[in-house]
Amino acid sequence: MTRVRPWESPEITGWRRLRQNAVDRRADSVSLDGSWRFQLLSAPDAPLGEEWSPLVVPGPWTMQGTSDLPHYTNARMPWPEFPPLSPDANPTGVHERDFDVPADWAGRRIVLQVGAAESVLIAEVNGRQIGIGKDSHLASEFDVTDTVRVGRRNTVRLTVVKWSDASHIEDQDQWWHGGITRSVLLYATDPLHLADVQITADHAGSLRVDCQVRGPLPRGWYITGDLDGTALAQDTEFDRVNREDDRVSDFLGEARLSARVPGVRTWSAETPFLYGLTVRLHRADGGVADTSRHRIGFRTVRIRGRDLLVNGERVFIRGVNRHDFDPLTGRTVTKAQMRADLETMKRFGFNAVRAAHYPNDPALLDLADELGLYLVDEANIESHDHAHEIADDPRYLPAFLDRVSGMVLRDKNHPSVIIWSLGNESDYGANHDAAYGWVRRHDPTRPIQYEGAAKTDWFSTTVASDIVCPMYASMEEIVAHATSGKQTKPLILCEYSHAMGNSNGTLSDHWEAIESTPGLQGGFVWEFWDHGILQRLSDGRPAGPGTTDGFTAGVAAPGYRWAYGGDFGDTPNDGVYCADGLVFPDRTPKPAMYEHREIAAPLRLTHDAGLLRVHNRQHFRDLSWLAGEWALSAEAAGTRTAPAELPHVPPGGYAGIPFPRELLDDLPPDHGAAWLTLRLTTAVDEPWAQAGTEVCTPQVLVAEGQPARGTGTAPVRRIPTGSGPGTSAGVELDVEGRLVSPLLTAPPVLSLWRAPTDNDLLGGVAEHWHRLGLDDLVREHVSTDRRGDRVTVRGAYRTAGGVVEHQQAVSRLPDGGLLIEETAVLPDGVTDVARVGTVFETVGGLERVEWFGQGPWETYPDRRAGGPVGHHRARITELFTPYLRPQESGGRSGVRALSLLSGTGRGLSVQLDAPRQVSVAHHRAADLAAAAHHDELVPRRGCVVHIDAAHRGLGTASCGPDTLPRYRFGPGTYNWSWLLRAV
């Protein structure tokens, strides 16, 4: 086989590279991780220099101070060459180190394993080239038995070519890096060894273990196995394949073990019970030549009609997409970090992960087995920029088959893997059909999905996808499909609810439709991470491994910032589009995580005619793992708590629960709106959370007609105007009727605009607001009418859509407080506005806020299911959500009252006529809109306060549907009122 420019030859997959298998080789291995000698060349054929620099392996060179920096593109390739060509300027990293082979490995078979390298790996040992690897997310293994020297110093050189023909099918939405990104190790086996182990364990307790042995198989050798110490039966002796001559060196023997496990404990995401399986290859004298250990789960995955079943049950897939990512080390992630990722997912109600868009490190699959997460295992194939050409290109057929088959061969024994995926966004062609056929033959126990195969015809039964798995389909589309009478397959969205910036609007609406519509079974939110890289402002380079002072709670520390596309001089780039996750780069959860947690809650609470019920929303588990506490929050009577005793409720069932009357008995008659919350925590330690970890906070209204979370605004109420907690304290009116006070630096004015979110910008509505002129409203004074203690000011705001009329009536109350009653009339041409409400500014020194409404985290009209109504308090700075690109954030829905206070307890209080959207920040909307990064923001001393009669939903229009019509606002008359007092 030619070795000329192997980085541009898609047919080449490696000449001494071993095939993937599912045998565990970690027991007898030597790690080669650590400091290596390194040179970065400008091209693969550039000569080596004299000087070497240290580089940490695993770790991409793009994150370790070299001249080749990270590059972000989404769908575009970063260079113009067409497949299979790559650019002449092609960074190439030469990694070299010395190693010793243990003396007791003499006479054994020795294998070099490189966990992952991006993009082409060329391996040499002791100056001899031993093979090539081209999948950046599967290990490359090479037999180096006849190349290494036992008892003497050896040298390994791993040359990694950044760009290649393979890059065209690794065109995923993530940073481009270069280097060795997973661990490097040596391991040893007997010359005659287990070549593969395939395990089939169903939920009825049937176990089958198919074993393959490679080598010249002597007579008398045999296989044994045990399951947690209980021996397995041997169903077959070795089947000696091609046994014409026992001296054949590439010999394959096969044997089968089996068992029936009575009273088997099944594996599911809710009950991830694992058994220990050990398989041994014995010599004729009984000695053990090879061993493979596995943790297995008994579970069955089937499709019946249009339902995906796990262990015979139709389960909801509450999933999230996940990339390998770390803000300091790029694509290199430790097992501890992977565990932290999966534990966070479990704590926030996710039960499934799509490995987007490549096979993850084997350690992650082990953790998913242990913690309980369903996995969609996805092949490392995405040809986004050249999808149509490559899907049917026979030159790429070996690469498709190699990547898909390698994933299946490696991961087939993991119970967490319930679906195979043929890749992502690569059009659809003969190469996919070939890969589908191979998987269907090799593993008939799992369904296969591929979005590209099903996207043009959701009803087809002949394409290479057993599941309809669309991207960003609207709620209306999926419901129409499921109710059409023609649906033939399960519908599970492989991507939906794009989490870019302040986003994930209508998530609860989607799940209301999914849970109430047969044929809809869930989906995977895009995605888990914001891919912001910690960047030093001093030199513009990645902070790199080992930085410990660069971030906290989602915020980059002074001297650093979260970098996105273009911040490293990378062109072309796709800017902030990489910041589209549910957690910040440092793994701090965003507010949308709490939304999902409540939607996915294992228990629902309902209240009807004074009766309380708890509903178990789980598929396999009762409620005994949960502990509960009641909390009653009344607007004018604080919050009180009481223990809660949970009844026994089987999966899918419901039961009544006694009402905690002791919480209501001594409430004053004027307590106002009252909400009952059942705070649920883990009763005992779970693999993913310690006992006492909050799981969810289901809540019901028990007094006054305020709507539940996720519904519309309550009817306007009359604000109490009697004696209040303060007075106007110097608040006066100027000649135009504007409020003037030592506590206000800018009087209340009409606001129709917000700092555009990423969804607003990419969905186009921000440009619509700009064309209307809503971002630069100027009031034209019309009239002032003074009648006693009431002043009415009528003004007009000219926009490109017509004149907006605004009336503000201010009344002085007997206690000195001020009642502000407002009306805004939007003409027919002013459509789809950001907000309709009031904005004013205060003096500095008011650093604390207390409010009754939804919280404690950020909520918005179409993303409010996760914010329980109650009494909350925070520092003003804690209200702000630091999305990577500054934008509208920090709002709270359903607010009825708030106070802005100094350290001494002085400040302002506001009472509202109805539950309103409120925000308090140290930035004006224009400040946020003008900044590209947070290091460009200068906080104002005072507070900027928004009180909104209407606020547009968030939607997910950066990639997917915009918010629903009921969360948009346009022409019409809006009324709101509020009471201002000094405290």
Side-chain angles (χ1 to χ4, degrees):
M1 178 180 290
T2 179
R3 299 187 186 182
V4 177
R5 295 182 68 83
W7 52 91
E8 289 183 354
S9 303
E11 299 91 345
I12 296 177
T13 57
W15 54 89
R16 292 183 61 186
R17 179 169 167 244
L18 304 176
R19 76 170 216 171
Q20 301 288 328
N21 63 80
V23 180
D24 179 18
R25 294 298 182 196
R26 286 167 283 192
D28 200 359
S29 62
V30 173
S31 173
L32 298 183
D33 291 351
S35 181
W36 288 51
R37 299 184 293 272
F38 179 74
Q39 289 192 36
L40 181 63
L41 309 180
S42 61
D45 48 5
L48 276 172
E50 299 272 333
E51 298 293 325
W52 295 82
S53 300
L55 190 88
V56 175
V57 172
W61 67 67
T62 43
M63 298 292 290
Q64 298 191 56
T66 70
S67 60
D68 184 36
L69 300 177
H71 191 150
Y72 172 64
T73 60
N74 170 27
R76 297 176 289 178
M77 289 296 292
W79 29 267
E81 283 80 1
F82 273 69
L85 301 179
S86 54
D88 292 331
N90 195 347
T92 300
V94 182
H95 309 70
E96 188 176 278
R97 68 161 288 170
D98 300 324
F99 65 95
D100 295 319
V101 178
D104 60 358
W105 284 11
R108 306 192 74 192
R109 169 180 171 263
I110 301 173
V111 176
L112 171 67
Q113 182 190 90
V114 183
E118 184 178 339
S119 153
V120 169
L121 168 71
I122 302 171
E124 301 172 65
V125 172
N126 295 331
R128 180 178 173 187
Q129 202 167 87
I130 58 169
I132 184 172
K134 281 196 173 184
D135 188 326
S136 294
H137 298 281
L138 281 178
S140 293
E141 294 191 347
F142 309 100
D143 188 332
V144 296
T145 308
D146 59 353
T147 310
V148 298
R149 300 183 290 261
V150 178
R152 297 169 57 188
R153 181 56 54 97
N154 297 269
T155 301
V156 58
R157 176 178 290 178
L158 302 177
T159 300
V160 180
V161 184
K162 184 174 183 179
W163 306 122
S164 71
D165 64 277
S167 302
H168 291 285
I169 55 173
E170 296 183 352
D171 182 18
Q172 290 111 354
D173 177 12
Q174 58 181 336
W175 291 94
W176 292 96
H177 289 289
I180 300 166
T181 56
R182 294 181 189 162
S183 289
V184 182
L185 58 85
L186 287 174
Y187 68 82
T189 72
D190 193 281
L192 183 61
H193 56 277
L194 290 166
D196 204 358
V197 175
Q198 183 163 345
I199 301 163
T200 307
D202 66 29
H203 77 292
S206 176
L207 172 65
R208 184 175 115 180
V209 184
D210 292 287
C211 307
Q212 295 182 344
V213 175
R214 176 96 39 198
L217 190 64
R219 298 186 183 281
W221 286 52
Y222 60 97
I223 291 278
T224 65
D226 68 73
L227 187 70
D228 284 344
T230 301
L232 306 182
Q234 182 165 312
D235 281 6
T236 62
E237 299 291 338
F238 273 122
D239 178 13
R240 297 163 177 259
V241 180
N242 297 328
R243 189 173 59 83
E244 297 179 0
D245 188 334
D246 282 350
R247 295 170 297 176
V248 173
S249 61
D250 192 17
F251 194 89
L252 188 66
E254 297 177 344
R256 179 178 299 161
L257 305 171
S258 69
R260 169 70 66 172
V261 181
V264 67
R265 297 182 63 179
T266 57
W267 187 97
S268 71
E270 295 171 17
T271 58
F273 189 82
L274 297 174
Y275 290 80
L277 172 69
T278 303
V279 178
R280 299 179 182 88
L281 171 65
H282 295 266
R283 303 182 183 91
D285 63 2
V288 176
D290 202 2
T291 302
S292 185
R293 293 178 175 84
H294 306 265
R295 299 187 73 196
I296 69 168
F298 286 80
R299 65 103 185 92
T300 305
V301 183
R302 293 281 187 271
I303 289 179
R304 184 178 64 202
R306 56 182 186 170
D307 294 328
L308 175 72
L309 307 180
V310 175
N311 300 338
E313 294 290 328
R314 181 181 187 268
V315 297
F316 284 121
I317 301 299
R318 302 183 186 276
V320 64
N321 288 271
R322 178 195 173 274
H323 272 292
D324 283 340
F325 173 76
D326 183 85
L328 300 178
T329 57
R331 199 97 66 229
T332 298
V333 186
T334 67
K335 184 175 181 179
Q337 289 171 317
M338 293 180 223
R339 186 179 192 100
D341 291 352
L342 300 191
E343 288 178 351
T344 298
M345 293 173 190
K346 290 284 289 188
R347 287 197 301 272
F348 284 91
F350 292 99
N351 69 355
V353 178
R354 179 172 173 234
H357 299 290
Y358 39 77
N360 284 195
D361 189 295
L364 186 132
L365 282 82
D366 292 338
L367 291 166
D369 294 342
E370 175 192 342
L371 300 176
L373 284 153
Y374 302 123
L375 292 185
V376 174
D377 206 355
E378 191 152 271
N380 183 24
I381 299 173
E382 181 170 342
S383 54
H384 210 136
D385 203 11
H386 301 287
H388 184 69
E389 306 97 282
I390 288 177
D392 284 308
D393 188 337
R395 294 176 299 174
Y396 277 92
L397 176 59
F400 274 59
L401 289 173
D402 184 61
R403 288 161 184 254
V404 173
S405 65
M407 169 186 69
V408 174
L409 288 168
R410 190 196 73 169
D411 297 341
K412 59 194 172 188
N413 294 333
H414 288 278
S416 55
V417 178
I418 65 167
I419 299 170
W420 301 117
S421 170
L422 303 180
N424 184 64
E425 294 181 310
S426 301
D427 208 348
Y428 179 43
N431 294 339
H432 296 98
D433 286 337
Y436 177 91
W438 188 94
V439 179
R440 176 54 60 240
R441 170 75 176 180
H442 186 82
D443 178 27
T445 70
R446 295 175 175 92
I448 304 165
Q449 75 174 44
Y450 175 56
E451 182 268 341
K455 70 179 180 180
T456 58
D457 185 355
W458 289 3
F459 301 112
S460 175
T461 59
T462 60
V463 296
S465 187
D466 304 324
I467 296 169
V468 175
C469 47
M471 290 183 175
Y472 307 107
S474 70
M475 189 170 64
E476 293 79 9
E477 289 175 302
I478 62 175
V479 169
H481 176 72
T483 56
S484 67
K486 299 186 293 181
Q487 183 182 4
T488 60
K489 300 175 181 178
L491 192 153
I492 302 171
L493 294 143
C494 72
E495 295 179 21
Y496 81 110
S497 194
H498 195 249
M500 186 175 181
N502 193 359
S503 188
N504 302 106
T506 73
L507 188 62
S508 62
D509 301 273
H510 265 77
W511 271 98
E512 184 179 345
I514 290 168
E515 292 183 1
S516 62
T517 309
L520 304 182
Q521 215 165 332
F524 295 83
V525 173
W526 186 267
E527 63 161 317
F528 185 63
W529 285 102
D530 269 357
H531 293 208
I533 291 176
L534 193 67
Q535 181 184 40
R536 291 191 301 260
L537 294 176
S538 59
D539 60 9
R541 291 184 175 274
T547 301
T548 59
D549 61 347
F551 50 85
T552 178
V555 180
Y560 298 89
R561 70 178 179 186
W562 296 125
Y564 48 76
D567 286 339
F568 297 111
D570 45 319
T571 55
N573 69 78
D574 286 293
V576 76
Y577 208 72
C578 61
D580 51 7
L582 289 166
V583 301
F584 288 104
D586 68 344
R587 291 181 168 80
T588 299
K590 293 182 181 177
M593 288 285 274
Y594 295 93
E595 182 84 352
H596 186 273
R597 189 184 75 171
E598 215 58 43
I599 293 167
L603 181 149
R604 303 279 173 84
L605 181 67
T606 59
H607 179 226
D608 184 27
L611 299 176
L612 289 175
R613 278 182 176 175
V614 291
H615 302 252
N616 185 350
R617 302 293 294 170
Q618 300 171 105
H619 303 291
F620 302 104
R621 205 174 188 189
D622 63 22
L623 303 180
S624 60
W625 65 283
L626 295 169
E629 180 186 61
W630 293 113
L632 182 70
S633 295
E635 180 180 4
T639 299
R640 57 201 68 198
T641 63
E645 190 78 23
L646 297 180
H648 173 74
V649 185
Y654 65 89
I657 186 171
F659 202 97
R661 293 292 174 188
E662 66 273 25
L663 296 182
L664 291 173
D665 287 345
D666 58 350
L667 277 181
D670 57 348
H671 58 70
W675 293 81
L676 183 65
T677 304
L678 179 57
R679 179 177 178 266
L680 293 171
T681 60
T682 51
V684 296
D685 288 347
E686 296 286 330
W688 45 271
Q690 293 182 334
T693 300
E694 190 169 271
V695 174
C696 58
T697 56
Q699 186 180 69
V700 292
L701 178 69
V702 293
E704 195 177 328
Q706 187 177 359
R709 281 178 279 175
T711 65
T713 304
V716 173
R717 63 172 181 166
R718 188 173 183 274
I719 302 177
T721 56
S723 60
T727 69
S728 60
V731 178
E732 299 294 343
L733 303 174
D734 66 10
V735 293
E736 289 192 345
R738 297 178 188 267
L739 296 183
V740 178
S741 166
L743 294 176
L744 297 184
T745 59
V749 295
L750 179 68
S751 176
L752 303 178
W753 183 71
R754 69 186 182 198
T757 65
D758 293 320
N759 291 326
D760 297 337
L761 288 168
L762 294 173
V765 71
E767 178 58 29
H768 165 71
W769 298 336
H770 180 68
R771 288 195 302 267
L772 285 176
L774 304 186
D775 52 350
D776 190 25
L777 285 181
V778 177
R779 189 182 79 164
E780 298 179 359
H781 178 65
V782 176
S783 66
T784 301
D785 181 14
R786 294 178 178 266
R787 297 186 180 182
D789 286 334
R790 179 182 176 89
V791 179
T792 302
V793 179
R794 297 178 181 85
Y797 297 81
R798 296 193 181 277
T799 75
V803 175
V804 175
E805 298 176 356
H806 178 229
Q807 175 177 295
Q808 189 178 74
V810 182
S811 302
R812 187 177 301 281
L813 304 179
D815 66 355
L818 294 178
L819 175 65
I820 300 96
E821 299 169 285
E822 306 198 53
T823 299
V825 181
L826 275 57
D828 290 344
V830 178
T831 59
D832 201 1
V833 298
R835 61 178 10 130
V836 180
T838 303
V839 59
F840 62 88
E841 298 181 22
T842 75
V843 297
L846 306 182
E847 294 301 326
R848 293 189 297 115
V849 60
E850 298 178 359
W851 76 99
F852 181 76
Q854 294 191 255
W857 30 79
E858 172 190 277
T859 51
Y860 280 83
D862 63 349
R863 200 194 69 213
R864 56 186 294 189
V869 175
H871 294 275
H872 306 288
R873 63 179 59 192
R875 295 187 64 81
I876 304 297
T877 53
E878 294 170 345
L879 299 179
F880 184 67
T881 307
Y883 298 109
L884 262 64
R885 187 192 65 79
Q887 57 196 273
E888 163 68 32
S889 78
R892 269 49 178 189
S893 293
V895 175
R896 284 179 175 263
L898 73 152
S899 297
L900 304 176
L901 303 170
S902 69
T904 61
R906 299 176 66 83
L908 294 170
S909 75
V910 176
Q911 287 181 276
L912 303 171
D913 63 333
R916 300 297 188 185
Q917 183 76 20
V918 171
S919 68
V920 183
H922 286 307
H923 308 284
R924 293 175 180 168
D927 301 338
L928 298 170
H933 295 85
H934 286 273
D935 60 282
E936 301 168 18
L937 282 175
V938 178
R940 296 177 181 271
R941 287 192 66 247
C943 299
V944 180
V945 183
H946 279 274
I947 299 169
D948 294 330
H951 194 106
R952 192 185 195 275
L954 301 170
T956 64
S958 53
C959 187
D962 200 348
T963 193
L964 298 173
R966 63 176 169 270
Y967 302 117
R968 304 181 200 178
F969 304 94
T973 300
Y974 298 82
N975 298 290
W976 68 104
S977 58
W978 47 290
L979 184 62
L980 177 67
R981 289 189 175 98
V983 178

